[in-house]
Amino acid sequence: METPYQNHIAKADFDHVYEPAEDSFLLIDALERDLDFLKAKNPTFCLEVGSGSGVVITALGMALPNAFCISTDINFKACEMTKTTAKYNKVLMDSVNMDLAVSFVNNKFDVILFNPPYVVTETSECGTCDITASWAGGDKGREVTDRLLDMIPKKLAQDGIFYLLLIEENIPNEVVEIMAKFGYKSQLIVSRKLRNEQQLVMKFFK
Ligand SMILES: C[S@@+](CC[C@H](N)C(=O)[O-])C[C@H]1O[C@@H](n2cnc3c(N)ncnc32)[C@H](O)[C@@H]1O
């Protein structure tokens, strides 16, 4: 998969929006490994929750030109940046300033992506709308992720796929159990140790 053009973004803009890092590229790597499967599914609506700069959902949009891409972010500046990244790379996209996917009432997405704020922090650090929201994950680094897990059965199409980036501290087995209770199978797509952090991307599907 091609890496989207991002030279239009000034370095200082990343004081306010998450700068693409190894986790962003691991999620792109996971999508690339699954690209034949995704192309065969021919998804219509793809959603990235928490799109930051927009690098991940734009890469997916470039690889799946028939799909309509939508992104959300709690950080308004991230939504603006995602829109410009999509535009520069000629990807049709809408980016909405929203908490997770709460305002999509009747929409079902064929693909949902999430690289969440996964760092273990105090609960009080969670729930901001600024750059802190990029990393502060609260208890087990899972407070934001767990809220999205609860929404997946309502937001994902019956044969949809959900890709989620986690680190070991998030206790991936517990996530697998939560999703199993909702009726989803799971599969580890890729895992990489980076300095002291084990990052992985899991896929959930019926
Ligand atoms: C680790 S960053 C990932 C950014 C981008 N997807 C990437 O991979 O480079 C997490 C993103 O989730 C957003 N976020 C955090 N809490 C959110 C929430 N409740 N609803 C929507 N977006 C949220 C943050 O603002 C941030 O842009």
Side-chain angles (χ1 to χ4, degrees):
M1 274 165 71
E2 243 180 284
T3 304
Y5 173 86
Q6 289 219 299
N7 292 351
H8 62 289
I9 303 170
K11 194 75 185 156
D13 292 343
F14 290 124
D15 291 344
H16 306 286
V17 174
Y18 188 74
E19 182 166 6
E22 289 86 352
D23 49 356
S24 322
F25 295 112
L26 191 66
L27 183 51
I28 294 176
D29 194 9
L31 296 171
E32 186 164 35
R33 285 172 194 231
D34 241 16
L35 198 55
D36 288 344
F37 166 80
L38 282 168
K39 280 185 175 164
K41 283 224 158 238
N42 196 21
T44 307
F45 294 111
C46 300
L47 168 69
E48 183 179 15
V49 174
S51 59
S53 69
V55 69
V56 181
I57 188 71
T58 301
L60 185 66
M62 288 159 71
L64 300 175
N66 294 334
F68 181 65
C69 295
I70 302 172
S71 76
T72 71
D73 206 292
I74 196 84
N75 176 346
F76 176 76
K77 289 184 173 155
C79 297
E80 295 292 294
M81 196 182 279
T82 293
K83 277 184 199 163
T84 58
T85 300
K87 194 172 145 211
Y88 268 93
N89 290 281
K90 300 186 172 48
V91 169
L92 189 60
M93 169 132 36
D94 202 4
S95 183
V96 190
N97 188 205
M98 183 191 299
D99 178 22
L100 300 174
V102 289
S103 308
F104 294 128
V105 180
N106 292 317
N107 308 68
K108 291 267 190 184
F109 296 94
D110 303 300
V111 176
I112 299 181
L113 318 174
F114 195 28
N115 175 11
Y118 55 67
V119 178
V120 178
T121 64
E122 294 295 324
T123 294
S124 56
E125 286 183 88
C126 271
T128 68
C129 302
D130 57 19
I131 189 72
T132 313
S134 299
W135 49 270
D139 185 37
K140 300 179 193 172
R142 278 239 315 271
E143 291 192 32
V144 182
T145 300
D146 283 357
R147 287 203 297 119
L148 184 68
L149 299 184
D150 283 344
M151 289 177 202
I152 289 296
K154 285 200 179 127
K155 312 291 178 188
L156 193 65
Q158 189 59 24
D159 62 346
I161 314 129
F162 170 45
Y163 294 90
L164 176 67
L165 187 134
L166 295 167
I167 60 170
E168 275 310 314
E169 288 80 353
N170 301 148
I171 320 178
N173 283 345
E174 284 187 7
V175 174
V176 167
E177 279 168 22
I178 292 168
M179 294 305 282
K181 279 188 196 140
F182 295 146
Y184 291 92
K185 301 184 189 88
S186 56
Q187 188 186 329
L188 175 67
I189 306 286
V190 62
S191 166
R192 189 177 293 160
K193 186 149 188 152
L194 198 90
R195 294 175 283 277
N196 281 331
E197 192 169 87
Q198 186 76 43
Q199 300 178 341
L200 50 129
V201 178
M202 310 240 16
K203 158 174 148 182
F204 300 93
F205 51 98
K206 287 258 160 131

